[in-house]
Amino acid sequence: MSAISIKGLKKRYASHPALQGVDLAVQPGEIYGLLGQNGAGKTTTIQILLGFQSPDEGTVSLLGKTPGKDRSLTKDVAYIPENVSLYPYLNGIENLQYFSRLANIHVTKNEAENLLIKCGLAANAHFRLTSTYSKGMRQKIGIAIALAKSAQIFLLDEPSSGLDPLASNELTQLLRELAANGKSILMASHDIFRIRETADKIGILHRGKILKELHSADVSASDIESIYLEYMKM
Amino acid sequence: MTLFQTLKNESVHITKNRFKVVALLLFFGATLYSVWQGYLIYKYRAEQILLVQKSARESQQEVLGWFKNGKSGPEERPWIDVKNPFWAMWYGSHYVIYENHPLMILSPGQVSDIGIYKKVSVWSTPFDQDLIPELSNAEFQVSGFFDFSFVWLFLLPLLLIILMYNIQSFEKDAGLLLLVNIQAGKTNSWWLKRVLVIGITLSLWLIVVVIVPRILIGKSFLFNKEWIGYLFFSMIYLWGWLGLYTLILSRNSSQVSQAIQMITIWIFLVLVIPASVQQWIQMRNPASLMTEWQEVEEKRDSIYATSYDTAKVKLLAEFKDLSTTKFGLLDSISDPMKKGAAYRTLYKMYIDSSSEVFLQSIERKNQAFESFAFINPVMWFQNKLNHLSNSDLSAIIEIRRRIRSKSNSINKRLIFDEWNEVVVDSIQFKKYLEL
Amino acid sequence: MKALLQIFYNEWLGLYRNKVLIGSFLLLAFVLALTAWMGVKKQDQLTIQTHSASNYARSEWESIGPMNPHSAAHEGTYAYYSPGLMSSLDEGILSQVGRVLRLEGHVQNEMAYSARSQEAIYSRFGGLMPSLLLQWVVPLLLIFLSFRSIYQEKEQGRITLLLSQGLGIKQILVGKALAYFSIAIIALLSTVLIQFIFLEFSQSSDIARLVGFVISYILFYWLIVSLTIVLSTVLKNATGALSSMLAIWVLWMVLLPKWTASIASEKYPLPSRFEFKQAMKDDRSKGIDGHNPSKDRINKLRDSVLAKYGVSSDTALPINLDGIVMQADEEYGNLVWDKHIGGVFESFSLQKRLSQWTSILNPMHALKSASMSFAGTDMLHHIHFQKEAEEYRRSFIKKLNDEHAYGGSKTGDWSWQSTEEFFKNIDPFKYSTVEISKYKRYWQVDLLILLVWSASITVLMCLISKKHLI
């Protein structure tokens, strides 16, 4: 059974069709990259997967459950937004502990430190207020929050946007490590290079439809770019 | 670019913001409504004054009728004889009227804290209980009238917050400031022009509004000193707030931060400081329950108990010419009415000096308030505008002084005429009416 | 519940770590404490001043000496209004109205010597009383705090992270609302507590008033916090939410009360002073129904008294007819006063009732009305004092007239004097604030309106869906 399964997903905003029949599946231990330009429907797809919005048509399931209807899903699904915004008056550890407690998970200080180190956040930053953090550092806290949940599914919306090359690379490594541990990851992005580096499978989303699916092992980044640009002209 | 073009360009920030346009229109509406409310107060007062004057004329005509028909007074009161100076004066219907001032339409101020008129007799004092205001629901009066000065002094700064809080801060929040800097060269002059647009618009509106009362009452008071003063102080007030808010804008913080800073200043200047000053002054000088005044009135018995000789000496010291009157020439008086007139006059002299002490104490208390003007500018402007429209505390004190003065004139005339045994006729009565 | 408490705690932590906010709170705490202290001092001062004035008036009365009872009626005495302890929280109309009432024969005076007639306008919104801060400043503070809390979550995108952690919208909104609401409650209770400790509230009636006072503010603060949160959630941008809340605040605090007053005054107009005096004068001399002139009334009375004593002239009477006539005139005057001032009081009540119903649009008005009512400083309490004082005046004058009539003098003997002892034996006027239950049909409306508003906004808050947040 696929960890993430989307079939014939359609969604309209007033007169504008955001999704026009999206089909995709993500297996356990797989990273799926949803590649598309702004307004292609990436964020809408993720929000439907999170249960923040309901689909007009089609079915969506995460671990066989329907998001938005089955509340037990929240503990299995982690979300990392494009811009992880934290409480500036809390330090890294406190933010991690706070968000975890909201999910009914108690994280000790030691566990929090270990999680942050695992996510690549240097120990000297753990007790600094997050108002002093860079975007990459906040991203790592976001991932640590997701890890603390022991979630099976990770949904990432433009995770590498605005990150410097080193931080992007670290993110890729981290996600690959998660996938190696059996986590299913759906990552929406318009960063062709990063998606090629991170994802196992890439779906090109254009005007609310997946036009093509590629296995990143089979193509180079420049091939993906050519294919992508070709489809964008359609 | 001419100033007009610049202003036209910058006005787009108001005209394209629906919320600001609505706020501005509401403010304009509120000012006109407030002037209308002020006009209703003015009109009501004018009507009451006419009623009282008419009533006074009617009763004076009635007395003149008695003289004409050889009657001494109302039939049901046979003891009254209007040929006697005391009764003639009693029926003279003397009134002190708190006259309307055209600017009261804009600032009715404290007119509701005192009666519009008072019938004055020889016994009247500035602190009589019948000097009470018109009947009104005090719950509605807690924060005063919804008059123009209220709108201008208290709501204008709130309007300015709505119009100004996002000047420069919006551009800062939206990351537009650099672009503006590159386009305009100097950001300071750019946002200052936007402030100027607001200032000029509201200044023009002020001039229009201040002219409205003239149209409403059809009187020409346009270029008199009070009108110009009213306009001047209202204008200074507007530009004062603009200056204050401009200082906040110059700190270039976010929209929310600017709004909070502006509203905090408003709260302090409009609410907290005036309220603290009031509390402080009232604690130091609580509103009098006038027991001291009762003490003054209680003195009557002791004055009436003094010997006639002592009383006469005191009386002649004040009114030297009394010594030449018919009864002034006598060493003693047996007529209780004439004797009573002497004591009454002495008592009046005492009341007169005491009431002045009271009036001065009220003035002193008010001076304590004026010493707070520097930290309490909003209320200083409020009282200044009320002063120009003759509706402040000094106007109330003035009314009290006029009552005192009129009652004194009546008394003085009475003692001379009573001691000269003047027989009042219609000519004499008319002279009494001129007092 | 745990998550709700977490949000509550986190909001407090956020406030605690914000130096500017802490500074503002400390400033507010200082001003509130100062205000509470000033309120207590002023209340003490008011009590001392009223006692001393009452004692003075009484000592003057007791030292009146032997005097003709009717002259004593003209001498009269004074009643001074001393509002209850609760007036230290909300002075209501106290500055507007006088606290001195002269009680004398023939005439019913009105309260005189208001503070406003002796002072310039020091403040347009009253003195620095707890009510000023609790009604004006605390709601504004709540608006600024609660508006920022939601808008920041939305603007900075944390809301999706919070929701993805399994939180419900209600938990987020209610948790935050409770955090800010608790600040208002601390401000309210600490202010009330200072008054409670220093003013020695001991009577159950005062405590009942205090409880009512606190409940009204609790309902209003919850309303303000939840409304701000609803608006900041529903409206697209932060400045819109802030501006809307400020506009609502100005509308509720400043504009609607003034319009309400205009409408109520137009709907239930009061007579002008001139009309009022004229009507009283006419009714007194021509008779209430226009067919009973005073002259006829006196003649009829004289005839009946002469018949009762079986004599044919005033001088043959064993009693003093003047005293009886005076009392009859007094009683007739009372009827006239009841008719006219009763009409005015009725108009006040109707105006209040109408303005209360406008609270359906303006809950701030309901709060102000309830606050004044519980503090015992509204128009109804003021009228109650006037009525009590008038009752006293009637029995006071009746005693003097009865003494005049039956004390031993004969008709026309105006030089006859009563003993000082007689005057001393007339009880002084005593007044204690009315039980709050007397006006429950008024404050119940205020509380009901506040309750309906609070409940409605809470329901509205619970109806907010994810689409408003994301």
Side-chain angles (χ1 to χ4, degrees):
Chain A
M1 186 182 67
S2 307
I4 302 172
S5 166
I6 299 175
K7 284 178 188 160
L9 181 61
K10 287 185 182 173
K11 179 76 182 173
R12 288 185 78 85
Y13 294 124
S15 60
H16 166 69
L19 299 174
Q20 303 188 76
V22 173
D23 295 285
L24 68 83
V26 185
Q27 304 307 320
E30 187 181 35
I31 303 178
Y32 189 101
L34 203 54
L35 183 66
Q37 65 192 26
N38 291 341
K42 303 189 294 291
T43 302
T44 302
T45 307
I46 287 183
Q47 290 200 343
I48 290 172
L49 285 171
L50 283 165
F52 294 170
Q53 293 192 46
S54 47
D56 293 340
E57 275 180 50
T59 57
V60 175
S61 82
L62 299 174
L63 303 172
K65 297 170 186 170
T66 309
K69 287 184 181 162
D70 197 329
R71 283 191 57 83
S72 66
L73 251 184
T74 52
K75 67 176 176 18
D76 295 316
V77 180
Y79 168 63
I80 300 158
E82 176 185 354
N83 187 5
V84 177
S85 179
L86 301 167
Y87 289 100
Y89 51 84
L90 301 180
N91 62 36
I93 300 277
E94 285 172 334
N95 263 300
L96 173 55
Q97 286 180 315
Y98 172 67
F99 279 101
S100 300
R101 274 197 296 268
L102 291 181
N104 230 355
I105 298 158
H106 183 71
V107 178
T108 64
K109 202 183 279 180
N110 277 342
E111 286 168 342
E113 283 192 74
N114 289 337
L115 275 169
L116 290 182
I117 287 168
K118 191 176 173 185
C119 293
L121 190 72
N124 61 3
H126 292 185
F127 293 96
R128 261 173 38 206
L129 291 183
T130 51
S131 55
T132 63
Y133 279 20
S134 67
K135 189 179 178 189
M137 291 162 87
R138 282 187 275 122
Q139 204 83 355
K140 284 168 186 168
I141 300 270
I143 294 168
I145 292 168
L147 284 181
K149 276 177 93 172
S150 307
Q152 291 304 306
I153 294 170
F154 284 67
L155 303 172
L156 294 88
D157 195 0
E158 303 283 2
S160 58
S161 161
L163 293 186
D164 62 41
L166 181 66
S168 293
N169 185 263
E170 282 174 354
L171 178 72
T172 300
Q173 298 311 317
L174 201 61
L175 293 178
R176 296 213 67 83
E177 207 177 303
L178 287 172
N181 287 328
K183 312 289 184 194
S184 306
I185 299 169
L186 177 75
M187 166 184 164
S189 178
H190 52 226
D191 182 345
I192 294 169
F193 178 75
R194 187 52 49 203
I195 222 161
R196 157 73 183 73
E197 287 300 300
T198 314
D200 299 311
K201 200 193 271 183
I202 301 165
I204 297 174
L205 186 66
H206 183 58
R207 290 181 186 165
K209 276 185 190 165
I210 300 234
L211 300 180
K212 191 168 179 67
E213 281 190 344
L214 304 160
H215 286 277
S216 43
D218 301 341
V219 284
S220 67
S222 57
D223 290 341
I224 298 173
E225 188 174 22
S226 309
I227 297 165
Y228 178 70
L229 290 174
E230 192 65 32
Y231 279 112
M232 291 307 109
K233 287 172 192 163
M234 285 174 70
Chain B
M1 207 188 299
T2 64
L3 180 68
F4 178 72
Q5 280 170 324
T6 310
L7 298 181
K8 202 175 151 195
N9 268 356
E10 297 306 329
S11 64
V12 75
H13 296 290
I14 295 174
T15 54
K16 294 288 176 187
N17 184 322
R18 203 186 306 159
F19 188 80
K20 288 187 179 182
V21 170
V22 169
L24 202 59
L25 290 177
L26 274 178
F27 180 79
F28 288 167
T31 46
L32 291 177
Y33 179 76
S34 68
V35 173
W36 179 246
Q37 287 295 305
Y39 172 65
L40 293 181
I41 294 165
Y42 179 92
K43 197 165 142 250
Y44 173 83
R45 287 174 57 83
E47 284 165 2
Q48 295 309 307
I49 291 168
L50 281 178
L51 271 177
V52 168
Q53 286 172 334
K54 185 169 169 264
S55 158
R57 270 198 309 274
E58 281 170 2
S59 49
Q60 286 159 3
Q61 286 305 318
E62 193 183 4
V63 178
L64 287 170
W66 294 338
F67 283 116
K68 197 176 169 187
N69 302 323
K71 286 185 181 173
S72 57
E75 278 172 20
E76 67 276 17
R77 293 181 180 180
W79 63 89
I80 288 165
D81 183 0
V82 285
K83 290 191 281 302
N84 179 314
F86 179 83
W87 288 116
M89 204 66 93
W90 188 262
Y91 277 88
S93 293
H94 291 98
Y95 278 92
V96 162
I97 289 171
Y98 186 176
E99 298 286 353
N100 263 342
H101 188 287
L103 280 171
M104 274 179 193
I105 293 174
L106 298 175
S107 293
Q110 294 179 255
V111 293
S112 67
D113 294 332
I114 196 168
I116 302 174
Y117 50 85
K118 175 171 163 56
K119 193 170 186 178
V120 180
S121 73
V122 66
W123 292 110
S124 297
T125 79
F127 299 102
D128 281 350
Q129 292 247 340
D130 62 349
L131 193 59
I132 44 170
E134 289 292 296
L135 290 162
S136 66
N137 190 332
E139 281 186 25
F140 297 160
Q141 293 291 327
V142 171
S143 53
F145 299 113
F146 189 80
D147 60 314
F148 171 74
S149 73
F150 176 79
V151 173
W152 198 252
L153 298 176
F154 299 92
L155 301 189
L156 171 79
L158 287 175
L159 174 76
L160 291 180
I161 294 177
I162 293 167
L163 298 181
M164 291 172 76
Y165 81 99
N166 67 352
I167 289 182
Q168 198 178 210
S169 55
F170 169 77
E171 286 75 9
K172 189 193 171 192
D173 288 353
L176 276 170
L177 215 52
L178 268 176
L179 183 64
V180 173
N181 204 0
I182 290 161
Q183 293 297 104
K186 289 176 189 167
T187 45
N188 278 352
S189 63
W190 160 76
W191 66 261
L192 278 171
K193 278 177 202 160
R194 290 177 62 181
V195 174
L196 205 61
V197 171
I198 295 167
I200 290 173
T201 308
L202 290 169
S203 299
L204 291 173
W205 181 246
L206 172 68
I207 294 167
V208 170
V209 171
V210 176
I211 289 171
V212 173
R214 181 178 176 270
I215 300 164
L216 286 173
I217 59 170
K219 271 190 187 173
S220 175
F221 66 98
L222 242 176
F223 300 109
N224 69 16
K225 204 173 71 184
E226 285 97 349
W227 188 86
I228 291 167
Y230 199 96
L231 191 62
F232 174 74
F233 284 107
S234 303
M235 202 66 94
I236 294 276
Y237 186 80
L238 162 67
W239 288 93
W241 274 101
L242 281 168
L244 206 58
Y245 288 161
T246 301
L247 281 179
I248 293 172
L249 298 186
S250 68
R251 289 162 54 90
N252 192 14
S253 36
S254 69
Q255 295 177 80
V256 173
S257 169
Q258 283 190 173
I260 290 177
Q261 287 176 54
M262 287 172 172
I263 200 85
T264 306
I265 289 182
W266 185 85
I267 288 174
F268 269 85
L269 285 177
V270 166
L271 283 176
V272 178
I273 295 174
S276 309
V277 169
Q278 172 167 325
Q279 196 79 334
W280 179 254
I281 295 175
Q282 285 187 344
M283 280 177 73
R284 289 184 62 130
N285 300 291
S288 172
L289 294 181
M290 300 303 276
T291 45
E292 305 88 340
W293 185 248
Q294 285 171 44
E295 280 179 44
V296 169
E297 290 181 326
E298 296 297 339
K299 191 90 176 174
R300 189 182 57 212
D301 292 346
S302 63
I303 289 173
Y304 274 75
T306 44
S307 71
Y308 178 70
D309 291 341
T310 319
K312 192 179 175 187
V313 169
K314 284 185 185 169
L315 205 57
L316 293 182
E318 180 69 22
F319 304 109
K320 282 181 191 132
D321 295 347
L322 264 184
S323 59
T324 59
T325 58
K326 196 172 169 186
F327 283 86
L329 293 165
L330 302 174
D331 290 335
S332 64
I333 306 176
S334 54
D335 184 339
M337 282 285 278
K338 305 291 180 292
K339 208 170 179 177
Y343 288 113
R344 185 194 65 221
T345 306
L346 271 188
Y347 176 59
K348 281 295 295 180
M349 279 160 56
Y350 174 69
I351 287 275
D352 186 42
S353 57
S354 303
S355 60
E356 183 54 29
V357 171
F358 271 76
L359 290 170
Q360 283 173 8
S361 79
I362 294 175
E363 281 175 328
R364 267 198 305 279
K365 187 174 165 185
N366 197 40
Q367 277 161 9
F369 162 69
E370 280 173 5
S371 65
F372 284 100
F374 184 67
I375 58 160
N376 190 15
V378 175
M379 295 318 296
W380 183 84
F381 273 99
Q382 172 74 82
N383 286 287
K384 191 76 200 169
L385 295 184
N386 289 349
H387 182 69
L388 290 166
S389 52
N390 199 36
S391 61
D392 64 339
L393 181 70
S394 63
I396 291 181
I397 293 175
E398 175 57 24
I399 291 296
R400 294 194 192 278
R401 286 213 166 97
R402 278 174 53 202
I403 292 167
R404 196 184 119 218
S405 158
K406 184 156 242 175
S407 181
N408 283 347
S409 307
I410 292 172
N411 181 54
K412 191 177 171 187
R413 185 64 188 261
L414 260 186
I415 183 75
F416 275 91
D417 286 2
E418 281 177 306
W419 276 24
N420 273 326
E421 286 204 307
V422 169
V423 176
V424 182
D425 56 12
S426 59
I427 297 162
Q428 185 71 14
F429 181 70
K430 281 178 186 166
K431 282 183 185 167
Y432 282 179
L433 300 184
E434 287 163 12
L435 284 174
Chain C
M1 192 66 189
K2 261 186 188 172
L4 195 133
L5 287 175
Q6 277 300 320
I7 291 172
F8 180 86
Y9 171 73
N10 187 50
E11 288 303 312
W12 265 94
L13 197 65
L15 299 174
Y16 174 70
R17 291 190 179 174
N18 185 327
K19 281 177 192 157
V20 177
L21 281 179
I22 288 293
S24 310
F25 288 154
L26 287 176
L27 184 68
L28 180 70
F30 172 73
V31 176
L32 270 172
L34 183 75
T35 308
W37 176 79
M38 280 173 142
V40 169
K41 283 277 158 202
K42 200 173 174 185
Q43 177 62 33
D44 284 345
Q45 208 175 41
L46 209 70
T47 310
I48 293 168
Q49 192 193 25
T50 316
H51 276 153
S52 118
S54 302
N55 289 341
Y56 176 76
R58 185 63 192 172
S59 69
E60 283 298 307
W61 176 253
E62 288 184 355
S63 60
I64 201 168
M67 188 183 267
N68 179 276
H70 189 68
S71 302
H74 279 285
E75 282 289 314
T77 186
Y78 289 85
Y80 298 94
Y81 181 41
S82 174
L85 292 179
M86 285 289 294
S87 69
S88 63
L89 286 165
D90 187 343
E91 69 175 356
I93 62 168
L94 281 186
S95 288
Q96 312 298 311
V97 292
R99 295 199 293 121
V100 185
L101 186 60
R102 179 164 161 71
L103 308 173
E104 59 183 322
H106 301 303
V107 62
Q108 285 93 346
N109 289 301
E110 285 179 47
M111 308 280 280
Y113 309 129
S114 69
R116 284 285 295 269
S117 67
Q118 302 173 40
E119 296 167 345
I121 304 177
Y122 300 147
S123 162
R124 198 81 191 238
F125 304 98
L128 191 65
M129 300 294 285
S131 58
L132 183 98
L133 295 178
L134 295 174
Q135 288 172 11
W136 288 83
V137 181
V138 174
L140 263 184
L141 182 82
L142 292 178
I143 289 171
F144 280 113
L145 287 177
S146 43
F147 135 79
R148 281 168 69 86
S149 81
I150 290 288
Y151 122 84
Q152 278 179 347
E153 301 293 359
K154 273 169 71 175
E155 295 260 309
Q156 298 179 15
R158 268 196 307 264
I159 202 80
T160 45
L161 202 57
L162 288 169
L163 290 172
S164 73
Q165 291 298 91
L167 279 182
I169 291 167
K170 270 179 236 163
Q171 284 172 308
I172 298 174
L173 301 186
V174 174
K176 282 178 179 286
L178 281 175
Y180 296 107
F181 176 62
S182 64
I183 294 169
I185 297 304
I186 292 170
L188 171 68
L189 292 183
S190 46
T191 308
V192 168
L193 200 67
I194 291 176
Q195 312 277 322
F196 186 78
I197 293 167
F198 290 104
L199 285 175
E200 294 164 7
F201 282 81
S202 53
Q203 290 183 355
S204 59
S205 58
D206 281 333
I207 294 169
R209 284 173 178 275
L210 202 62
V211 170
F213 184 88
V214 169
I215 290 173
S216 349
Y217 280 89
I218 285 177
L219 288 172
F220 184 73
Y221 288 155
W222 175 252
L223 188 168
I224 280 284
V225 170
S226 46
L227 181 62
T228 314
I229 284 188
V230 166
L231 281 183
S232 66
T233 312
V234 174
L235 293 177
K236 290 282 180 212
N237 60 60
T239 48
L242 176 66
S243 312
S244 306
M245 247 353 259
L246 283 180
I248 288 174
W249 184 79
V250 172
L251 199 68
W252 282 358
M253 292 298 290
V254 184
L255 299 178
L256 281 179
K258 302 278 185 188
W259 284 325
T260 300
S262 292
I263 292 165
S265 304
E266 267 171 44
K267 173 90 179 151
Y268 301 111
L270 296 167
S272 71
R273 184 64 71 187
F274 185 85
E275 288 165 350
F276 183 75
K277 274 186 186 167
Q278 201 62 44
M280 289 268 284
K281 197 176 154 192
D282 285 353
D283 272 354
R284 191 125 189 198
S285 63
K286 295 177 194 163
I288 292 175
D289 52 6
H291 299 99
N292 194 14
S294 57
K295 214 165 132 190
D296 293 353
R297 292 196 307 269
I298 292 168
N299 287 339
K300 257 188 198 169
L301 179 70
R302 176 186 284 115
D303 293 346
S304 74
V305 174
L306 293 178
K308 187 181 168 191
Y309 286 93
V311 291
S312 56
S313 71
D314 298 357
T315 47
L317 279 168
I319 49 114
N320 191 333
L321 181 65
D322 297 331
I324 293 173
V325 171
M326 289 295 166
Q327 182 56 26
D329 183 58
E330 191 69 44
E331 281 167 15
Y332 195 80
N334 294 343
L335 287 176
V336 172
W337 191 80
D338 285 345
K339 178 188 166 190
H340 291 280
I341 205 74
V344 171
F345 287 167
E346 178 63 15
S347 295
F348 283 153
S349 304
L350 290 169
Q351 286 180 348
K352 184 171 177 81
R353 183 56 94 206
L354 179 69
S355 65
Q356 267 190 312
W357 286 114
T358 62
S359 306
I360 292 170
L361 293 174
N362 180 9
M364 185 70 223
H365 189 270
L367 174 77
K368 281 183 177 173
S369 173
S371 178
M372 274 196 279
S373 190
F374 289 121
T377 54
D378 64 349
M379 200 64 187
L380 296 172
H381 283 77
H382 185 67
I383 290 173
H384 181 262
F385 172 82
Q386 280 178 278
K387 284 182 174 172
E388 291 280 298
E390 172 58 14
E391 277 303 305
Y392 173 79
R393 191 196 71 83
R394 289 178 187 186
S395 74
F396 172 74
I397 298 298
K398 186 172 185 324
K399 276 178 190 148
L400 295 172
N401 283 334
D402 285 353
E403 176 73 358
H404 191 184
Y406 309 109
S409 65
K410 292 289 187 67
T411 307
D413 182 7
W414 292 96
S415 60
W416 182 80
Q417 292 184 330
S418 217
T419 62
E420 194 172 51
E421 206 53 35
F422 164 74
F423 295 119
K424 274 185 184 170
N425 282 335
I426 297 178
D427 289 334
F429 173 61
K430 280 184 185 149
Y431 179 74
S432 54
T433 312
V434 61
E435 289 290 323
I436 188 63
S437 56
K438 184 171 168 66
Y439 298 119
K440 69 178 174 193
R441 70 191 183 98
Y442 288 96
W443 55 256
Q444 276 175 347
V445 172
D446 296 326
L447 286 185
L448 180 72
I449 288 171
L450 285 172
L451 187 70
V452 169
W453 262 92
S454 309
S456 310
I457 304 289
T458 309
V459 169
L460 211 61
M461 191 159 68
C462 293
L463 289 176
I464 283 175
S465 63
K466 283 179 184 167
K467 71 172 184 188
H468 292 117
L469 282 169
I470 299 163

